[in-house]
Amino acid sequence: MDIIFYIEYYTATGEQLALHIAETHRPDSPLHILMTTDDNAHWQGVWHVPAQAPGAIDYYFSVESAHGTQRREWTTVCHRLDLPTRPQPAVHVYGRWIDVPHDTYRYSSAFTECLHPHALQPLHSPGDRCARLVCRAPQLRSGQRLVLTGAERALGEWHPEQGLPMAEHNYCEWVAEIPIDLLTQTTIEFKFVIIHDGADPSPIWEEGMNRTLTLADEPGLQVYELDQSFYPLCDERVAGTLVPVFSLRTEGSFGVGDFGDLMAMTDLIASTGQRVLQVLPINDTTVTHTWTDSYPYSCISVFALHPQYADLRQLPTLNDSGRRQHYAQLQRELNALPQIDYERMMQAKEAYLHELYQQEGRKAMATDDFARFFSDNGQWLVPYAQYCYLRDTYRTTDFAQWQGHATWNEADRPALSNSRSPKYHQVAYYYYVQYILHCQMTAAHDHARQRGVVLKGDIPIGVHRQGCDVWMEPRYFCLDGQAGAPPDDFAADGQNWGFPTYNWDAMLADGCQWWNRRFTHMALYFDAYRIDHILGFFRIWEIPIQAVRGLLGQFAPALALSPDDMAVYGLHFDRAMTRPYITDSVVGAVAGPEAAYLRQHCLSAQADGTYTLRPEVDSERKVQALVDAHRLSEAQGRAICDLLTEVLFLEDHRHAGLYHPRISAQRTHAYRHLSEDGQRAFDRLYEDFYYHRNNGYWYGEAMKKLPPLIEATRMLACAEDLGMVPACVAPVMEQLRVLSLEIQTMPKTACRFADLQHNPYRSVCTISSHDMAPLRQWWDEDKGRAQDYYSSMLHHDDPAPHPMPGWLAEDIVERHLMSPSMLCILSLQDWLSIDEQLRLPNAMGERINIPADPHHYWRYRMHISIEQIATHRGYRQRIADMIEQAGRR
């Protein structure tokens, strides 16, 4: 049987359309067929169906040339063809090119599996002399289905209840088959209509003129792909909660939130009409086995889950009654603490899991379910397990100290995968723990879908530089730099996250396989995700390895400046501008009472009246080491680091002879030393470099990286697009249909507070993020700012009350719920702020993270249990009423 594909698509000379076909159960093995044309507009391709024909195929079109693929269709949801059950003389498929839809979010699993689930129904008909009409209708909600009706009697004569029922055979794609012999005309007139399964009898007709279609005079099955249908239905808006999994608390949790608590939290928010539960990253971060591992954005594996989230209640009990009593006592002690004691909690949980592994591991790992888990995840699981074994054996994550194992060796895989091998048993505990975590998180995900709740995860921008990902695939990382962020409202000195930057050349060379594996794996557990620091896909703030703070960083990649480029702005470049400008007056201004000590012990006087830093203090890393060794005071170390940043330009990390203006250079004494003309020239150069020169370049960088990642899964893509945002970011996010993050107190235009009613629909509206002070703390931090907000945004004439009363918090929450944003996701602390009886009395205890502190201890935990909140029916009803009144049900 031949399937003949037709499509009308206009191409340029030298371009050719290609058809890509994949069996639905083998999506990773596509078949490529080059199509033919007589006019560069009407294309045809033939697929000879093999004897062992699949039940269905997915396919898409691309434009090819001698230089490779020029463009392709949107592939998140490909075309689908259910093959006829009987061989046909031929199947004729009249296709259409599908660009990225404006409403891609409706095709996401957040909508199709959580908010409006429909059961897919493959259409396995004989196909004898039938016309199959295919139409995408993503607006349908649960309890709704599509029918085809038209002028012909076979189509119900415009009576929807007598029309042809359609089947949703692919996500948001509906099909109906018309027996051609029942038609009186070869040209049919019709419409697609929404029918309700429930009590509502009124059909919803698609907008626009009646459709017409002239059928071909061909034997066998004819398939016509038609334009998407549109209906007069409002866009959905839903509400949700942001809370880290580790912050959850139930009566039975073990001193930290776990995956069982995640299910309980799902039930709680569902009872209030909320539809989204957002969490922070849940990947393993174990490096030192100390509290510093509490940082959830510094994962050692983008695939492995953190052992702290194992719900011990879901596991078999220990046989030894004495050990059971021991752990029961530990559970009560740890769960009674107001905050997480990370080290005690992890020691207790890991000890329990080791004992359970000795008791149950062999039996669990002999099951077919474990065998499937190992087969599906072995690519990352085996290296991860060996990494953990070596980390714990050598008590360090410094690979250089792992004798013979400085990097992952693929030759080790067979022995580590063979259950009869001694090496397998060295690492089997780590397999077992990841299997437990996978089963529990999968169950939590399934439970959320059953409750109609979207679980939204978080994809950190970086990984730990001594983590398993770097150890396993070092070619993907640049270890001579550190990722961070330039100075902003969160951190005046910028942020140094310590992560290695990505080697995008290596990643793009293999089609971003590492990122694709990462996103695909995340889709096992989530239906939406937050891209942490999406700006990093345009350019990352790269900090030299010898720097501690973020002030000496530079954007990478970027179009750095040559001395000739600088001359265009009227600035004469001198290499001295790259060296710290230090004079007596500068030392006095920067060091204050420490100036005399610095002149005597840390600086070398030069003949021209300036100073240079001595070799032992010529980098921030060296200075920090001296401070840590108590050879310099904190004040002295700070002063020296400030002197190190007294530069106007930084040489490009990758290209000698090219330069970047130092961020915030106008605050330096080196800048003040310039003449007035020199300052004006520098300002012109600085403004153009950071806000104009690189926009087109960064747009191109993002469009090389982001499209294949976003199309790799059907998760709903949301971005954290805060900070120093270049103008090219918004067009890329619009083109890729990524939801932006809108925070009223961090406006994206030149104003103090944003107008919530101006939020775009494709956005996430929130009051505060995990990096910010929650609402009540923010309110009391700056009373002048709070008064301005109270007067200008809430329109009150009286003095703003302090501390924030519950009625005022409720007013602010209601206003955010009323915004046009698709998602309004508020932190748990901000939801609780409306109730003066339930909320934490001390607002200062609600902070999750302080970005300016690189050594922050992430230990915030709910002060009351989920069970306690659930008993407050009045509180839950207030939230439900607010959500309903805002139209977010």
Side-chain angles (χ1 to χ4, degrees):
M1 180 173 67
D2 287 346
I3 300 181
I4 307 170
F5 294 85
Y6 308 89
I7 184 171
E8 182 179 354
Y9 189 88
Y10 292 81
T11 59
T13 302
E15 293 181 336
Q16 184 174 15
L17 243 61
L19 171 67
H20 305 260
I21 298 175
E23 299 176 21
T24 54
H25 64 287
R26 295 177 58 196
D28 297 329
S29 304
L31 174 70
H32 307 275
I33 298 173
L34 292 176
M35 306 182 76
T36 59
T37 183
D38 293 328
D39 58 4
N40 279 1
H42 299 87
W43 296 85
Q44 177 178 322
V46 180
W47 178 46
H48 305 292
V49 180
Q52 299 297 322
I57 59 168
D58 287 342
Y59 61 95
Y60 68 91
F61 301 100
S62 71
V63 177
E64 307 292 330
S65 75
H67 303 291
T69 301
Q70 299 303 300
R71 55 194 173 276
R72 59 179 171 81
E73 288 188 284
W74 182 60
T75 58
T76 301
V77 179
C78 293
H79 306 269
R80 178 160 295 174
L81 176 64
D82 299 309
L83 300 184
T85 55
R86 286 204 295 261
Q88 302 290 308
V91 175
H92 299 267
V93 179
Y94 300 90
R96 54 183 293 272
W97 183 282
I98 298 178
D99 281 317
V100 180
H102 76 282
D103 53 358
T104 56
Y105 55 90
R106 296 187 184 279
Y107 295 83
S108 71
S109 60
F111 276 71
T112 64
E113 311 298 331
C114 304
L115 301 182
H116 301 302
H118 287 92
L120 298 186
Q121 303 172 9
L123 186 66
H124 294 306
S125 66
D128 298 332
R129 195 157 166 74
C130 282
R132 181 184 296 174
L133 274 56
V134 183
C135 176
R136 294 196 169 188
Q139 289 177 275
L140 271 71
R141 303 175 182 181
S142 296
Q144 296 178 339
R145 55 189 174 85
L146 213 59
V147 299
L148 184 156
T149 188
E152 291 269 0
R153 184 173 183 180
L155 305 182
E157 297 178 319
W158 299 113
H159 297 293
E161 66 278 7
Q162 298 173 20
L164 281 180
M166 303 184 72
E168 187 179 16
H169 77 144
N170 193 12
Y171 300 110
C172 303
E173 188 170 86
W174 295 74
V175 294
E177 282 195 353
I178 308 171
I180 294 177
D181 292 339
L182 296 181
L183 299 175
T184 62
Q185 303 288 330
T186 57
T187 299
I188 58 174
E189 187 177 8
F190 60 96
K191 270 184 178 287
F192 298 110
V193 184
I194 295 176
I195 296 293
H196 303 268
D197 288 334
D200 187 351
S202 55
I204 304 175
W205 292 75
E206 70 171 316
E207 297 181 319
M209 303 291 288
N210 293 344
R211 296 176 183 253
T212 59
L213 176 66
T214 300
L215 304 178
D217 184 16
E218 300 284 358
L221 176 64
Q222 303 173 25
V223 180
Y224 297 90
E225 294 185 339
L226 307 177
D227 292 339
Q228 177 174 323
S229 61
F230 294 93
Y231 299 88
L233 295 171
C234 296
D235 288 324
E236 294 111 312
R237 295 157 52 248
V238 295
T241 292
L242 163 65
V243 60
V245 176
F246 60 75
S247 298
L248 298 174
R249 182 190 295 271
T250 60
E251 303 298 337
S253 49
F254 210 104
V256 69
D258 57 41
F259 290 148
D261 296 340
L262 185 60
M263 297 173 76
M265 191 66 190
T266 298
D267 291 335
L268 177 64
I269 69 161
S271 72
T272 65
Q274 297 181 64
R275 306 298 299 275
V276 184
L277 179 54
Q278 179 178 338
V279 299
L280 300 192
I282 57 174
N283 298 102
D284 191 0
T285 58
T286 308
V287 174
T288 64
H289 293 287
T290 66
W291 67 265
T292 59
D293 295 343
S294 67
Y295 180 26
Y297 286 87
S298 184
C299 62
I300 61 168
S301 169
V302 297
F303 305 101
L305 302 174
H306 200 303
Q308 71 174 328
Y309 298 124
D311 179 6
L312 306 185
R313 294 162 293 186
Q314 297 184 45
L315 302 176
T317 59
L318 295 176
N319 294 334
D320 188 318
S321 61
R323 301 305 293 165
R324 289 201 304 270
Q325 293 174 12
H326 166 73
Y327 287 111
Q329 178 61 31
L330 272 176
Q331 183 272 329
R332 288 190 291 269
E333 292 176 9
L334 292 170
N335 219 34
L337 298 175
Q339 295 178 305
I340 299 167
D341 185 334
Y342 183 87
E343 293 181 16
R344 282 191 67 202
M345 175 273 298
M346 281 301 299
Q347 289 167 5
K349 275 202 162 182
E350 289 196 319
Y352 186 98
L353 290 170
H354 272 284
E355 291 184 37
L356 189 66
Y357 167 70
Q358 294 299 325
Q359 176 184 301
E360 303 286 339
R362 185 180 297 273
K363 180 171 64 176
M365 297 170 72
T367 63
D368 291 342
D369 193 53
F370 176 82
R372 282 191 295 272
F373 165 75
F374 192 88
S375 175
D376 292 343
N377 297 277
Q379 191 274 338
W380 65 265
L381 179 63
V382 174
Y384 164 80
Q386 189 184 39
Y387 167 92
C388 292
Y389 171 75
L390 294 169
R391 174 200 63 201
D392 295 345
T393 299
Y394 289 98
R395 297 182 181 276
T396 179
T397 53
D398 181 356
F399 316 144
Q401 298 184 41
W402 295 356
Q403 299 173 12
H405 297 286
T407 59
W408 160 252
N409 186 348
E410 190 64 28
D412 292 338
R413 184 181 293 276
L416 294 166
S417 305
N418 185 347
S419 61
R420 291 185 291 274
S421 164
K423 288 189 175 182
Y424 176 92
H425 293 287
Q426 289 177 346
V427 301
Y429 164 75
Y430 304 104
Y431 296 156
Y432 175 68
V433 172
Q434 286 302 310
Y435 171 61
I436 287 172
L437 293 164
H438 168 76
C439 292
Q440 292 187 356
M441 186 58 204
T442 301
H445 183 209
D446 291 343
H447 181 73
R449 284 183 167 183
Q450 292 164 8
R451 296 304 307 267
V453 171
V454 179
L455 277 188
K456 180 183 175 187
D458 197 326
I459 296 183
I461 186 60
V463 300
H464 196 284
R465 67 175 45 248
Q466 292 184 332
C468 180
D469 297 301
V470 177
W471 177 68
M472 180 183 175
E473 300 177 285
R475 66 186 182 279
Y476 290 144
F477 304 93
C478 299
L479 297 174
D480 57 349
Q482 308 169 89
D488 57 18
D489 292 340
F490 292 133
D493 290 337
Q495 300 176 51
N496 183 352
W497 303 323
F499 310 139
T501 56
Y502 294 117
N503 180 355
W504 281 109
D505 289 339
M507 288 181 159
L508 290 167
D510 66 11
C512 292
Q513 289 186 15
W514 183 82
W515 282 100
N516 274 277
R517 294 197 308 268
R518 182 179 185 181
F519 275 59
T520 302
H521 187 76
M522 191 175 186
L524 298 174
Y525 309 125
F526 298 101
D527 290 301
Y529 61 92
R530 166 189 178 270
I531 304 176
D532 174 44
H533 194 64
I534 195 173
L535 306 184
F537 290 88
F538 294 76
R539 77 293 184 274
I540 196 70
W541 189 246
E542 188 175 57
I543 302 164
I545 199 67
Q546 288 300 318
V548 174
R549 304 181 299 178
L551 288 170
L552 293 177
Q554 58 186 239
F555 285 126
L559 301 174
L561 298 161
S562 69
D564 289 342
D565 292 331
M566 298 182 205
V568 173
Y569 299 93
L571 184 71
H572 173 70
F573 174 75
D574 189 308
R575 286 279 303 180
M577 293 176 173
T578 66
R579 297 188 289 269
Y581 174 72
I582 307 173
T583 64
D584 264 323
S585 61
V586 172
V587 175
V590 169
E594 304 293 341
Y597 178 89
L598 265 58
R599 291 189 187 99
Q600 183 176 355
H601 299 285
C602 303
L603 300 173
S604 297
Q606 304 301 302
D608 61 357
T610 64
Y611 292 92
T612 60
L613 288 155
R614 295 182 183 178
E616 58 269 26
V617 291
D618 63 359
S619 77
E620 290 183 338
R621 192 69 62 187
K622 291 179 181 179
V623 172
Q624 186 62 51
L626 293 173
V627 172
D628 293 343
H630 305 291
R631 294 174 58 189
L632 287 174
S633 70
E634 291 283 351
Q636 291 164 350
R638 173 78 191 193
I640 297 172
C641 287
D642 287 345
L643 291 175
L644 280 165
T645 62
E646 283 288 333
V647 297
L648 291 176
F649 289 95
L650 303 166
E651 190 163 23
D652 188 90
H653 296 162
R654 305 278 185 265
H655 304 96
L658 298 177
Y659 303 91
H660 302 240
R662 203 217 86 176
I663 194 75
S664 304
Q666 288 88 341
R667 299 178 183 176
T668 65
H669 294 84
Y671 173 81
R672 295 175 203 145
H673 178 68
L674 294 173
S675 66
E676 289 187 10
D677 287 344
Q679 289 182 3
R680 283 193 291 269
F682 185 87
D683 289 346
R684 288 193 297 271
L685 176 152
Y686 185 96
E687 169 74 16
D688 186 57
F689 181 85
Y690 281 111
Y691 299 103
H692 305 288
R693 176 183 175 89
N694 287 284
N695 274 326
Y697 179 56
W698 288 337
Y699 174 90
E701 287 295 306
M703 290 303 292
K704 286 191 295 186
K705 303 165 189 173
L706 283 171
L709 307 186
I710 290 171
E711 292 188 21
T713 75
R714 289 195 308 109
M715 292 187 291
L716 179 65
C718 310
E720 180 267 288
D721 54 336
L722 305 177
M724 192 174 178
V725 184
C728 58
V729 172
V732 169
M733 291 178 58
E734 169 63 27
Q735 191 169 341
L736 300 180
R737 315 299 192 248
V738 178
L739 274 64
S740 63
L741 179 61
E742 305 298 329
I743 300 178
Q744 189 176 27
T745 56
M746 296 184 67
K748 295 175 179 175
T749 55
C751 58
R752 189 162 195 186
F753 305 113
D755 185 340
L756 292 171
Q757 293 308 309
H758 290 168
N759 285 4
Y761 172 66
R762 280 199 302 268
S763 70
V764 180
C765 174
T766 192
I767 296 173
S768 63
S769 74
H770 66 275
D771 280 333
M772 301 169 61
L775 177 59
R776 291 193 297 143
Q777 184 180 349
W778 177 86
W779 188 256
D780 288 333
E781 279 179 344
D782 185 332
K783 293 188 175 180
R785 179 183 61 190
Q787 183 64 55
D788 188 3
Y789 183 90
Y790 189 67
S791 302
S792 62
M793 295 290 103
L794 305 182
H795 310 293
H796 290 280
D797 296 329
D798 55 318
H802 291 275
M804 176 177 279
W807 65 263
L808 180 55
E810 184 168 345
D811 182 19
I812 294 173
V813 168
E814 285 180 331
R815 290 170 185 265
H816 281 74
L817 288 171
M818 293 297 294
S819 75
S821 300
M822 179 195 303
L823 308 181
C824 180
I825 303 176
L826 307 183
S827 70
L828 177 65
Q829 302 94 304
D830 290 345
W831 278 117
L832 290 172
S833 69
I834 72 173
D835 192 305
E836 296 182 16
Q837 302 303 312
L838 279 180
R839 68 191 193 184
L840 183 67
N842 177 19
M844 302 302 290
E846 294 182 332
R847 189 76 184 255
I848 295 175
N849 180 41
I850 302 174
D853 180 6
H855 306 295
H856 181 72
Y857 189 172
W858 295 64
R859 61 189 314 198
Y860 167 74
R861 199 157 183 233
M862 297 169 60
H863 64 288
I864 55 176
S865 69
I866 293 173
E867 294 93 335
Q868 289 173 301
I869 297 176
T871 63
H872 287 260
R873 294 184 179 180
Y875 169 74
R876 290 192 292 118
Q877 189 59 50
R878 282 168 67 192
I879 293 180
D881 291 344
M882 292 164 66
I883 290 172
E884 184 168 13
Q885 290 163 11
R888 291 188 176 270
R889 292 301 290 265

